[in-house]
Amino acid sequence: MKTTRRNFVKTAVAGALGAAVVPSLVGSQTPGVSGGNAYDVAVVGAGVFGAWTAYRLAQAGRRVALLDAYGSGNARASSGGQTRVIRMGYGDQEIYTRWSMRSLEVWKSLFGQVGRPSLFQEVGVLWMARGEDPLTTKTLTTLQRLGVVHERLGRSELERRWPQIDFGPNTWAIYEPDSGFLTGFHAVQAVVQLAEATGVEYLQEAVVPPAGKGPLDSVTTRSGKTVKAGTFVFACGPWLPKVFPDLLGERIFPTRQEVFYFGPAPGDERFRAPAMPVWVDFAEEIYGLPDFKGRGFKVAPDRHGPTFDPDTGTRVITPETLAAVRKFVARRFPGLKDAPLVSSEVCQYENTSNGDFLIDRHPERDNVWLVGGGSGHGFKHGPAVGEYVTARIVEGGKLESRFSLATKQKIQKRAVY
Ligand SMILES: Cc1cc2nc3c(=O)[nH]c(=O)nc-3n(C[C@H](O)[C@H](O)[C@H](O)COP(=O)(O)OP(=O)(O)OC[C@H]3O[C@@H](n4cnc5c(N)ncnc54)[C@H](O)[C@@H]3O)c2cc1C
């Protein structure tokens, strides 16, 4: 075997991880592309869902190609933001609490492996509530049942711990000290780095939406390459309706979401960790993160925005949303009343009708998997999604019905937050 530098690095890292070194590592250029032997699996989309799926499949010994049109964690992708919250609280939707718990463990382990533990910031998550708020009350029960470390804090304790927050009508909160945030696109790119080291062939290629019916034996790329595989996973996030317009055009709803970063005054430590946790003001459908590395105090409305095209949509915030967010900030965080906007992002949620993920086989193409529908909360679950999809492809087994295509309606009625 001719040891190129790339192969050496791949083999060394894969060995260190105890992962299988798959045949595609050895020597060849790009095996399933334009005439070579087929890959076992081609994963289309290197966002958080596709990257984790490709990585896990390679660890299971599969020969995997991972393709992305714009690059993993690109600025258009839903996984392309600077930061993403990881929390355990999900009301009584226990499956997501369990997946968050598992995913946090796996994220931390992966960041340790790549020598970048700071890609997860354990700053705590504070979920504010008012009165009998049913979702937060159910969250409390679930966290207790599953043994998630948390505190239930009353108003006076909240004011004592976080005097820089004016809690307004919020009367209590759940605090998860072990949760926090992941550093969005850096985290995904770390997964792809490890996936490549484990044998995944990463190709920056845009896949042409496949035509016809029946099992798929190849896809073509816009540059004219053919990629052959036994199984295909389409993890195209908000692009899924474009890739499968007949099937998903009315079942995945990409919405425009604006994110704002306000700059605290120099030397003001009240709005960065450890003084400030991640916070959620559920009743006002808004959440935010502490200032991280001087990038600003993040504030993001969670209410669904208008329909958005991930390829061509303009990613500039609107003055109306900025004004509304400023008003909220002045009320809830008076110390930031006059803070300048230092940065902003426009991203998109890829919502299913109720917020449950879509993980199912294509109904007319048995070897094609549809993986997406992160619905504004999917990032944290990347590791669990990767494990679940890999297990279904490698071992088979029962599919979770709430992820099925059949449960995805054409009218939005959000139930998972
Ligand atoms: C503003 C905002 C805030 C969010 N906050 C949180 C949060 O705090 N916590 C949380 O857990 N989640 C959060 N989410 C949700 C989370 O980011 C998404 O659910 C998740 O990133 C979706 O990942 P994905 O892999 O499905 O899609 P994507 O990341 O969009 O990846 C899809 C990839 O497919 C590629 N692709 C598409 N079509 C093709 C093609 N034809 N050929 C090749 N490649 C293709 C794209 O280039 C892209 O890279 C947030 C989302 C947004 C927008």
Side-chain angles (χ1 to χ4, degrees):
M1 165 189 159
K2 189 175 164 222
T3 307
T4 61
R5 199 186 113 70
R6 193 156 167 251
N7 278 341
F8 172 76
V9 173
K10 282 179 174 180
T11 309
V13 180
L17 299 177
V21 180
V22 295
S24 60
L25 262 177
V26 184
S28 73
Q29 298 300 309
T30 39
V33 178
S34 300
N37 295 323
Y39 292 99
D40 295 320
V41 187
V43 179
V44 183
V48 75
F49 284 0
W52 271 106
T53 300
Y55 175 40
R56 286 301 190 214
L57 283 164
Q59 284 190 311
R62 297 301 184 271
R63 199 162 70 163
V64 182
L66 175 63
L67 298 92
D68 200 288
Y70 295 110
S72 179
N74 68 81
R76 289 174 167 99
S78 296
S79 307
Q82 288 189 38
T83 47
R84 293 289 183 256
V85 179
I86 181 157
R87 60 175 154 92
M88 308 298 130
Y90 263 96
D92 57 0
Q93 314 277 333
E94 189 175 312
I95 188 169
Y96 293 110
T97 299
R98 287 187 183 281
W99 276 29
S100 272
M101 292 166 72
R102 169 66 185 154
S103 292
L104 180 54
E105 191 185 311
V106 179
W107 277 117
K108 288 203 277 193
S109 154
L110 177 127
F111 297 152
Q113 282 167 4
V114 296
R116 298 172 71 190
S118 66
L119 293 180
F120 167 63
Q121 292 287 313
E122 194 180 277
V123 299
V125 172
L126 184 68
W127 183 287
M128 304 178 209
R130 7 191 121 168
E132 297 299 307
D133 178 350
L135 185 91
T136 320
T137 306
K138 286 174 188 164
T139 295
L140 207 52
T141 311
T142 309
L143 297 184
Q144 273 156 3
R145 190 170 54 244
L146 298 186
V148 176
V149 177
H150 69 281
E151 290 177 273
R152 187 200 188 285
L153 302 174
R155 177 68 180 243
S156 53
E157 182 61 11
L158 291 171
E159 287 172 359
R160 194 187 67 75
R161 288 199 202 181
W162 294 287
Q164 72 278 48
I165 304 179
D166 179 343
F167 287 93
N170 291 297
T171 46
W172 61 288
I174 296 175
Y175 181 57
E176 297 177 14
D178 301 341
S179 298
F181 65 89
L182 304 153
T183 52
F185 66 91
H186 289 295
V188 182
Q189 288 169 355
V191 181
V192 174
Q193 182 195 335
L194 265 193
E196 284 193 276
T198 311
V200 170
E201 298 282 349
Y202 174 77
L203 307 168
Q204 189 145 330
E205 297 280 352
V207 169
V208 176
K213 290 183 180 175
L216 197 61
D217 61 22
S218 66
V219 289
T220 51
T221 69
R222 293 206 187 281
S223 68
K225 296 192 179 79
T226 302
V227 178
K228 293 194 280 180
T231 300
F232 292 84
V233 175
F234 284 86
C236 303
W239 285 267
L240 278 172
K242 290 191 177 198
V243 181
F244 298 103
D246 295 343
L247 198 62
L248 300 177
E250 294 178 78
R251 286 192 166 82
I252 301 274
F253 308 84
T255 57
R256 185 178 202 283
Q257 305 298 141
E258 300 186 5
V259 179
F260 303 84
Y261 294 85
F262 296 96
D268 188 347
E269 296 296 321
R270 293 175 297 165
F271 301 102
R272 49 177 107 235
M276 177 61 67
V278 169
W279 53 271
V280 182
D281 193 331
F282 182 65
E284 302 223 20
E285 296 181 275
I286 196 161
Y287 69 96
L289 276 69
D291 179 23
F292 178 56
K293 292 191 174 176
R295 306 303 303 175
F297 179 84
K298 174 171 170 175
V299 184
D302 183 49
R303 190 173 308 149
H304 292 169
T307 302
F308 192 69
D309 184 317
D311 287 301
T312 60
T314 302
R315 294 178 189 266
V316 179
I317 51 147
T318 55
E320 297 76 31
T321 315
L322 173 60
V325 166
R326 268 199 186 289
K327 261 189 171 169
F328 170 82
V329 169
R331 269 193 289 126
R332 193 67 71 247
F333 305 97
L336 289 174
K337 187 169 143 302
D338 300 315
L341 183 73
V342 292
S343 178
S344 63
E345 292 167 355
V346 175
C347 192
Q348 66 284 308
Y349 289 171
E350 56 296 309
N351 305 293
T352 58
S353 48
N354 71 345
D356 270 327
F357 301 155
L358 167 64
I359 308 176
D360 202 354
R361 286 176 196 273
H362 190 296
E364 289 159 356
R365 295 178 177 278
D366 206 37
N367 66 337
V368 171
W369 289 80
L370 309 168
V371 177
S375 305
H377 69 102
F379 193 94
K380 65 181 81 59
H381 298 289
V385 169
E387 286 177 354
Y388 175 82
V389 177
T390 298
R392 298 293 77 77
I393 290 174
V394 172
E395 299 158 17
K398 199 172 167 297
L399 292 172
E400 169 61 48
S401 64
R402 67 188 300 164
F403 300 149
S404 70
L405 180 65
T407 59
K408 306 296 174 278
Q409 307 295 315
K410 294 183 179 176
I411 293 174
Q412 274 190 277
K413 202 168 170 224
R414 195 172 182 183
V416 180
Y417 290 89

